[in-house]
Amino acid sequence: MRTIRIAVALIDDDAGRLLLVRKAGTQWFMQAGGKIEDGESALCALRRELHEEIGLSLAEEGIRHLGRFSAPAANEPGYIVEAEVFHVRVNHVPKTRSEIEEAVWVDHIEAANMQLAPLTRHQILPLSRELQQEFCRPPS
C-alpha cells in the first residue's frame, strides 16, 4: 500500500464535543487537516490546512502533539494515511471552505453513530475520550 502523510487536529471544546468535517463528494467524517507538502513541517501543514478548511487560525502554543497514527485512507483506495495528530481545544464556529462541505460539533455518542474515516473511528475517538477524562478529572 502507498502512504499519504497528513497532519490532522483532534479539535474539541470545553463541553466535550468533537469537531468533525466531511469533504465534498464523500461520505466519511474525519478530522480537519490534510497532506503535508514536501519540505513542510507537520505543524505548518496543520496550521495551513485548518485555516484553509475551517477558517481557524492558531498560535503554536495552543497545539499539543499526540503522536503518529496510521489507518487505511477513507477516500483513496489502496492508500494508508500516516497522520501526525495534534490536539486543539477551542470554541470555534467553523467556516467551511476549500474542499470541506460540512463541519459539525458532536459528542462521543453521536460520533460513534456516524460514518467515520478509519483513522477517526479507531484512533481519534479513543484518544478523544482519554483527553476528555483527563480534562474532567479533578486535580489531585
Side-chain angles (χ1 to χ4, degrees):
M1 292 194 124
R2 293 179 282 183
T3 302
I4 302 168
R5 291 184 56 239
I6 62 173
V8 300
L10 186 169
I11 301 172
D12 62 13
D13 66 9
D14 292 337
R17 298 178 306 163
L18 186 63
L19 182 64
L20 300 175
V21 299
R22 185 177 56 77
K23 293 182 179 184
T26 69
Q27 61 186 1
W28 307 104
F29 282 88
M30 60 188 62
Q31 275 52 58
K35 293 178 183 168
I36 301 170
E37 303 292 339
D38 288 338
E40 185 178 39
S41 73
L43 184 57
C44 286
L46 179 74
R47 294 178 73 213
R48 175 181 52 77
E49 290 283 350
L50 292 180
H51 181 70
E52 288 174 5
E53 292 183 349
I54 58 171
L56 179 59
S57 297
L58 294 172
E60 288 187 28
E61 62 271 4
I63 304 171
R64 176 178 160 198
H65 186 252
L66 297 176
R68 179 180 295 161
F69 302 89
S70 296
N75 298 314
E76 299 186 49
Y79 284 84
I80 62 167
V81 291
E82 184 176 276
E84 296 293 338
V85 179
F86 296 85
H87 176 237
V88 178
R89 179 159 286 142
V90 295
N91 292 309
H92 172 71
V93 177
K95 298 172 193 83
T96 57
R97 306 194 287 200
S98 190
E99 72 266 13
I100 302 301
E101 186 169 304
E102 188 176 1
V104 294
W105 283 103
V106 294
D107 64 29
H108 291 104
I109 294 170
E110 292 168 310
N113 291 312
M114 296 171 71
Q115 288 190 312
L116 300 176
L119 179 73
T120 302
R121 181 163 305 282
H122 302 295
Q123 307 288 337
I124 302 297
L125 278 184
L127 276 172
S128 178
R129 287 185 193 102
E130 287 177 31
L131 289 169
Q132 192 58 36
Q133 289 173 353
E134 180 182 299
F135 180 70
C136 294
R137 190 175 299 130
S140 44

